[in-house]
């Protein structure tokens, strides 16, 4: 009978760290050379911990399973659904000090059935991805327009094409820039102003050249502050002049 390994692994076998949230069995890809405590075979590419000691997959009664690497979410989910016995494979990442999923072990017949299921609806899933991409693209276009409009409201003197460029850069999906933050999505004045200031700093002042010459970032910002403020004031006061 195969027992699940303890949540906190034996420190001499694998590093101490919080293991991934899981259901079912857990298998390790060891970082060091390990041998099975039962049959003495090794070094082991995969091992199971039983009572704090490593065992090979054969001795742990998992040798008949096949490895499915991470990457295809649908195939992984369906393989586990089809497989009576399965295990999650993890490896310790020293740099991040945590365990990371590498894939799953499933029955070979279950993997074959899962692959057939995925092939059967591959076209439907492809079409869904295309529809989702189009929807996201339309949403991004509307948001970029709104962001650019808010730039022009706050800085009437900012050229329209420049406002659009700033908005597109700040709001790029997956960029982590201010436009994708909660404040940016809410079009708060602070977030919009921050995007404009960043653009002016990089495109209208020698800020980038200072950084490339080795000037520390805070000192470079201090040196270009007046030039950036002049541009921003001009964009702001252009609206005030037309109003008067």
């Amino acid at each position: 009978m195969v027992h699940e390994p303890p949540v906190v692994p034996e420190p001499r076998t694998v590093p101490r760290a919080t293991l991934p949230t899981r259901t079912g069995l857990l298998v390790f890809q060891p970082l060091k050379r390990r041998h099975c405590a039962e049959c003495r075979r090794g070094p082991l590419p995969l091992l199971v911990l039983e009572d704090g000691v490593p065992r090979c997959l054969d001795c742990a009664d998992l040798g008949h399973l096949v490895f499915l690497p991470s990457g295809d979410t649908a195939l992984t989910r369906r393989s586990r659904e089809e497989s009576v016995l399965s295990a999650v494979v993890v490896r310790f990442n020293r740099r991040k000090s945590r365990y990371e999923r590498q894939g799953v072990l499933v029955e070979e017949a279950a993997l074959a059935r899962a692959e057939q299921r995925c092939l059967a609806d591959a076209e439907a899933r492809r079409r869904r991805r295309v529809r989702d991409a189009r929807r996201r693209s339309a949403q991004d276009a509307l948001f970029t327009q709104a962001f650019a409009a808010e730039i022009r409201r706050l800085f009437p003197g900012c050229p329209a094409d420049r406002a659009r460029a700033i908005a597109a850069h700040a709001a790029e999906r997956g960029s982590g820039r201010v436009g994708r933050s909660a404040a940016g999505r809410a079009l708060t004045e602070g977030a919009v102003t921050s995007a404009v200031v960043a653009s002016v700093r990089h495109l209208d002042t020698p800020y980038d050249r200072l950084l490339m010459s080795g000037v520390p970032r805070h000192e470079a910002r201090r040196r270009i502050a007046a030039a950036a403020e002049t541009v921003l004031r001009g964009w702001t006061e252009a609206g005030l002049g037309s109003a008067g």
Side-chain angles (χ1 to χ4, degrees):
M1 178 178 178
V2 178
H3 301 285
E4 291 188 28
V7 173
V8 179
E10 165 63 30
R12 295 185 61 187
T13 304
V14 291
R16 283 187 178 274
T18 302
L19 295 173
T21 302
R22 59 179 171 78
T23 56
L25 303 175
L26 197 64
V27 172
F28 297 92
Q29 284 185 352
L31 300 179
K32 298 180 180 180
R33 293 169 63 90
R34 302 295 180 189
H35 290 71
C36 178
E38 187 169 331
C39 69
R40 303 301 178 184
R41 284 188 300 174
L44 302 175
L46 298 172
L47 63 86
V48 174
L49 286 179
E50 288 185 343
D51 301 322
V53 296
R55 284 183 169 79
C56 67
L57 296 187
D58 286 335
C59 291
D61 294 332
L62 300 178
H64 64 295
L65 301 181
V66 295
F67 179 61
L68 173 62
S70 299
D72 190 325
T73 303
L75 182 59
T76 296
R77 173 175 53 80
R78 288 173 170 175
S79 294
R80 297 194 72 185
E81 290 172 353
E82 294 282 352
S83 190
V84 176
L85 183 64
S86 65
V88 175
V89 178
V90 298
R91 182 171 63 203
F92 188 72
N93 185 320
R94 285 197 177 105
R95 184 174 62 86
K96 298 180 180 179
S97 189
R98 70 185 185 194
Y99 284 96
E100 296 178 336
R101 291 174 181 255
Q102 303 301 306
V104 294
L105 292 174
V106 294
E107 297 164 346
E108 189 168 7
L111 176 56
R113 291 193 295 270
E115 288 173 336
Q116 288 299 318
R117 288 174 60 187
C118 287
L119 286 173
D121 66 359
E123 179 61 20
R125 287 186 289 118
R126 186 193 67 80
R127 292 178 179 177
R128 183 166 60 248
R129 287 194 299 270
V130 170
R131 289 196 302 272
D132 290 344
R134 288 173 177 168
R135 185 182 68 252
R136 288 192 298 268
S137 179
Q139 291 172 343
D140 289 348
L142 290 174
F143 177 65
T144 299
Q145 290 175 10
F147 202 101
E150 188 63 10
I151 290 174
R152 294 275 289 163
R153 186 184 73 81
L154 295 173
F155 301 92
C158 177
D161 58 346
R162 181 69 179 277
R164 287 192 294 270
I166 295 173
H169 181 77
E172 183 179 351
R173 186 179 292 269
S175 66
R177 300 186 185 113
V178 67
R180 304 310 305 185
S181 66
R185 291 194 298 272
L187 297 178
T188 65
E189 182 173 335
V192 174
T193 299
S194 178
V196 173
V197 170
S199 177
V200 169
R201 184 185 297 133
H202 289 289
L203 299 182
D204 300 289
T205 76
Y207 179 68
D208 290 355
R209 293 194 296 275
L210 290 173
L211 293 180
M212 289 299 292
S213 67
V215 177
R217 181 171 60 88
H218 294 295
E219 173 61 17
R221 286 194 175 193
R222 186 191 67 78
R223 293 186 190 182
I224 60 90
E229 181 59 29
T230 297
V231 175
L232 294 170
R233 186 183 304 112
W235 286 358
T236 303
E237 293 177 352
L240 296 177
S242 62

